[in-house]
Amino acid sequence: MSERSHRPDRETEAMPGVDIFERAAVVRPVGEIDIDTAPSLSRALAHALTFVATSRADRVVADCSRVTFCDSSGLNALIAARLRAVEAGATIHLANPAPQLRRLLQITGAAALFPREDPAWPGAATALQRDARAPRLTGEHPNDG
């Protein structure tokens, strides 16, 4: 597997996408989450929490189905975001974590900190099918109507 396809966030330094689906702000990290890429995950989770705080959304879902590796830096990003979420009265749920991430969460005792939405969070298949058309957070928040 090439470096380019294995580590997309390293190449683009892009923040993982944040999509809105029903009452959840969904963050979709891709590839490896380590010391180099954890900051982009932190920014995406913070962005999603900002949306939750200013809307009718009630949780952030980290869809980890495309995460191939997560080290302690990635775990620290998730835990720090969870602390901010608790302070804001919100939760961060994990969906579809790979076995390596599940093992990291279990070994560290962090698994109990993150509610799971498995085998897939409600509506995941529909949202993934229309991923390109899904609303994206860009700094402006959609009108809650």
Side-chain angles (χ1 to χ4, degrees), residues 80-92:
R82 181 198 176 267
L83 290 173
R84 289 190 304 274
V86 167
E87 290 171 0
T91 57
I92 295 182

Side-chain angles (χ1 to χ4, degrees), residues 5 14 18 23 27-28 38 43 51 53 55 58 69 73 91-92 106 108 110 115 121 123 134 141:
S5 63
V18 179
R23 294 182 53 102
V27 176
R28 291 192 177 97
R43 287 189 299 274
F51 179 77
S55 74
D58 59 2
F69 174 79
S73 300
T91 57
I92 295 182
Q106 290 168 348
T108 60
W121 52 275
H141 297 296

Side-chain angles (χ1 to χ4, degrees), residues 15 18 47-48 50-51 54 136-142:
M15 182 170 72
V18 179
H47 200 121
T50 299
F51 179 77
T54 60
R136 305 288 270 184
L137 284 178
T138 60
E140 298 277 331
H141 297 296

Side-chain angles (χ1 to χ4, degrees), residues 38-122:
S40 67
L41 175 60
S42 292
R43 287 189 299 274
L45 291 167
H47 200 121
L49 283 168
T50 299
F51 179 77
V52 169
T54 60
S55 74
R56 292 178 288 178
D58 59 2
R59 70 191 182 284
V60 172
V61 176
D63 178 359
C64 298
S65 60
R66 298 188 299 170
V67 172
T68 57
F69 174 79
C70 183
D71 71 4
S72 61
S73 300
L75 179 60
N76 286 334
L78 288 168
I79 291 172
R82 181 198 176 267
L83 290 173
R84 289 190 304 274
V86 167
E87 290 171 0
T91 57
I92 295 182
H93 296 231
L94 296 182
N96 308 309
Q100 184 271 328
L101 177 55
R102 286 194 309 264
R103 180 86 173 126
L104 177 64
L105 292 166
Q106 290 168 348
I107 288 171
T108 60
L113 300 176
F114 299 97
R116 294 273 297 274
E117 296 202 24
D118 287 331
W121 52 275

